[in-house]
Amino acid sequence: ILNVEQSPQSLHVQEGDSTNFTCSFPSSNFYALHWYRWETAKSPEALFVMTLNGDEKKKGRISATLNTKEGYSYLYIKGSQPEDSATYLCAPNTGNQFYFGTGTSLTVIP
Amino acid sequence: NAGVTQTPKFQVLKTGQSMTLQCAQDMNHNSMYWYRQDPGMGLRLIYYSASEGTTDKGEVPNGYNVSRLNKREFSLRLESAAPSQTSVYFCASSPGQGVETQYFGPGTRLLVL
């Protein structure tokens, strides 16, 4: 079992602010690091999969980086919009086993 | 293309009753998973099936059984429900193992009284 920590637990930002969250995990023995976006009353949707140290992925205003040597990943949202309000989950996986963090709950205030 | 579907959406059981949660995917994925989600905890893996005909325990398998009926369907059975099994259950599928993304169903909310 991998211990995955996400911080902060929750975050309220004003529309237009940029923000970032952290995912920390043991730095050895995992295949990939996944980020998911989970809106209330829906199911988690995949944002990024990263495998290599130094990996950077971007989708619109959202980007993520991965540091496998020190065991962390950052998710950045530039110019937050109300539709970005959701819980953001990270999950390193070892083969078939995904280990989900408890998530960062983001609320963007119009 | 419905993706991953789950039935039922919501169920209330009495302690000791049994039930089966159904999951189906139409993406021709090889691997399927069952998770439970409880307040203050991350999604926890109950069982998974890496391919048709195989199943393996995850982090929290006690009190559950699974069946990979065919490539499309993966069911989760509670033989004798307990209040501790009150949770939201998510089914997921992925093309294969390793770095493949998982695709989630809408969830089944289960209340055991």
Side-chain angles (χ1 to χ4, degrees):
Chain A
I1 296 176
L2 293 183
N3 186 27
V4 180
E5 295 186 1
Q6 291 189 246
S7 62
Q9 197 170 21
S10 67
L11 197 54
H12 290 71
V13 300
Q14 292 290 138
E15 181 176 352
D17 287 351
S18 294
T19 186
N20 64 84
F21 329 130
T22 304
C23 172
S24 302
F25 49 89
S27 58
S28 60
N29 289 340
F30 74 99
Y31 285 15
L33 190 285
H34 302 253
W35 280 100
Y36 285 83
R37 181 171 180 272
W38 194 357
E39 289 183 72
T40 303
K42 295 187 177 180
S43 48
E45 288 184 6
L47 283 173
F48 304 115
V49 182
M50 294 182 289
T51 57
L52 300 175
N53 186 44
D55 239 354
E56 290 189 31
K57 295 286 175 99
K58 187 173 181 182
K59 187 184 291 188
R61 294 177 292 97
I62 305 177
S63 60
T65 61
L66 177 65
N67 183 322
T68 60
K69 292 182 180 178
E70 296 182 36
Y72 65 83
S73 176
Y74 292 142
L75 187 81
Y76 302 91
I77 302 179
K78 185 177 177 182
S80 302
Q81 299 297 308
E83 58 265 29
D84 296 328
S85 296
T87 296
Y88 292 83
L89 303 176
C90 71
N93 78 287
T94 59
N96 268 295
Q97 302 258 11
F98 278 53
Y99 298 94
F100 283 86
T102 53
T104 292
S105 173
L106 174 67
T107 302
V108 182
I109 303 162
Chain B
N1 193 347
V4 180
T5 57
Q6 292 182 234
T7 55
K9 284 191 170 68
F10 179 69
Q11 184 73 46
V12 179
L13 290 179
K14 293 182 180 177
T15 297
Q17 287 185 317
S18 62
M19 81 161 293
T20 300
L21 282 65
Q22 306 287 354
C23 173
Q25 51 91 10
D26 62 3
M27 296 175 283
N28 201 36
H29 285 172
N30 288 311
S31 301
M32 297 185 74
Y33 311 82
W34 277 105
Y35 291 91
R36 61 179 288 173
Q37 201 268 323
D38 302 295
M41 306 190 78
L43 290 162
R44 292 183 294 167
L45 184 64
I46 304 171
Y47 271 93
Y48 66 94
S49 170
S51 60
E52 187 178 354
T54 69
T55 60
D56 283 289
K57 295 177 181 179
E59 186 183 343
V60 288
N62 290 346
Y64 305 96
N65 286 303
V66 290
S67 295
R68 183 75 183 266
L69 304 168
N70 47 56
K71 193 171 186 180
R72 290 187 64 248
E73 298 172 288
F74 188 37
S75 63
L76 179 72
R77 183 160 177 85
L78 286 69
E79 291 291 351
S80 179
S84 61
Q85 295 177 303
T86 293
S87 189
V88 182
Y89 292 86
F90 287 94
C91 177
S93 71
S94 67
Q97 304 173 48
V99 302
E100 304 278 10
T101 292
Q102 293 188 358
Y103 296 83
F104 284 83
T108 294
R109 188 173 294 273
L110 177 66
L111 175 62
V112 183
L113 301 174

